[in-house]
Amino acid sequence: MKKRDLIDIRDFTEDEIYRILEKAKFFKFQRKKGNIPSDTLKGNCIGLLFRKPSSRTRVSFEVAIIELGGSPIFLESSHLQISRGETIQDTAKIFNLYLKGLVIRTFEQSEVETFAKYFDYPVINALTDFSHPCQILADFFTIWEIKKSFNDIVITYIGDANNICNTLILAADILGVRINVSAPEQYSVSDKIINSMKNPELLKVSKDPYAFIHNSSVIYTDTWVSMGDDAEKKQRFEIFKPYQVNSQLLEKAPHDFLFMHCLPAHRGQEVTDEVIDGKNSVVLQQAENRLHIQKAILWFLYEIKGQKEV
Ligand code: CP
Ligand code: NVA
């Protein structure tokens, strides 16, 4: 059987995403009852190779792997020989001898793709500069749990059209969900994303932070300075100031909108305390759902689609 990876959210079809959401719901229900019955990963060691910091993704994957019967091995990239020039291709071929899966957080999307090409077992993108599919699956799971379906959902993303925004748009495109982006022109949605959409009519873009507030079911923001963007910090703080999600911006929002943020939040920058700690905020539910969705992703990649034919 051909192996499957999660490198880009478009690796999954609409039907597969729904199967993953259903399975995450099952895992969540079982865990709440105190049942953690699974041997999906029994006897398998999964490497976690991280070139950027992480709290949620790393811990939720480690717990998910353990609860599915496997063993996570955290691979600090600066301690690996790739930091001294060993190629990704050689590293992947060596990892084939020990590991049965790889979860990778790095800068370039192409690095995850190269690992997937030379590594014979599932490769999971745990965030790149381009995308963060595991986060966005957890976010759609959260919306689906609360709102019961994606019918009539309108997501508005405000701020930097970064990896989170890219993946939200691509997932919305797969699921047929309307999505708006309010971003300053120089940090707005790229043509690459717009041109790759199957249903471009689902996306509206504006540089006005107020443009879409009044009819948004979800208002989502993220940091103005992603990992790797630190050199532009000063300039970004100035440009993004009008895009802060605060009570004034939300004055015309529907009473039951959901405030979402992938976290970590920079309180007082992209969001204020009153919003992130307010009654519409579901950020903790999003973070909790990371664990259940990681399990569902692993279940899908290991039980539904096995190892690549070699
Ligand atoms: N949201 C998210 O990916 O958080 P971490 O950077 O802590 O993993
Ligand atoms: N856009 C952020 C997401 C962090 C989870 C970053 O890439 O740093």
Side-chain angles (χ1 to χ4, degrees), residues 49-211:
L49 195 169
F50 279 51
R51 289 194 196 255
K52 293 175 174 173
S54 170
S55 301
R56 281 144 288 268
T57 310
R58 175 185 174 176
V59 177
S60 60
F61 260 115
E62 291 205 21
V63 173
I65 291 165
I66 292 167
E67 291 189 1
L68 292 179
S71 305
I73 300 183
F74 189 72
L75 304 165
E76 163 53 54
S77 65
S78 62
H79 295 178
L80 297 175
Q81 294 290 10
I82 43 175
S83 68
R84 301 185 64 250
E86 187 168 25
T87 65
I88 303 298
Q89 181 174 343
D90 286 347
T91 307
K93 287 181 179 170
I94 299 306
F95 284 172
N96 276 332
L97 308 172
Y98 317 127
L99 298 171
K100 289 280 168 36
L102 266 178
V103 177
I104 304 174
R105 170 168 286 199
T106 190
F107 294 87
E108 297 293 329
Q109 183 79 4
S110 60
E111 185 177 315
V112 186
E113 289 164 2
T114 308
F115 264 111
K117 184 168 171 195
Y118 295 102
F119 186 68
D120 294 336
Y121 304 90
V123 170
I124 298 174
N125 176 351
L127 181 147
T128 63
D129 293 347
F130 176 69
S131 72
H132 196 0
C134 300
Q135 173 71 51
I136 298 314
L137 285 170
D139 297 338
F140 274 91
F141 177 46
T142 306
I143 297 168
W144 183 71
E145 243 189 338
I146 299 171
K147 301 285 188 185
K148 309 297 175 209
S149 93
F150 297 127
N151 294 344
D152 303 323
I153 294 296
V154 180
I155 300 173
T156 294
Y157 179 92
I158 299 178
D160 183 20
N162 58 15
N163 44 10
I164 294 292
C165 179
N166 288 343
T167 321
L168 272 175
I169 295 171
L170 296 174
D173 189 35
I174 296 168
L175 294 166
V177 174
R178 281 161 60 202
I179 180 153
N180 306 314
V181 176
S182 285
E185 228 160 88
Q186 59 271 58
Y187 294 110
S188 195
V189 187
S190 70
D191 289 343
K192 182 179 166 191
I193 294 289
I194 296 172
N195 295 335
S196 72
M197 289 181 78
K198 288 206 181 81
N199 307 296
E201 71 282 358
L202 292 171
L203 175 67
K204 284 194 199 134
V205 180
S206 169
K207 54 179 198 269
D208 176 3
Y210 289 87

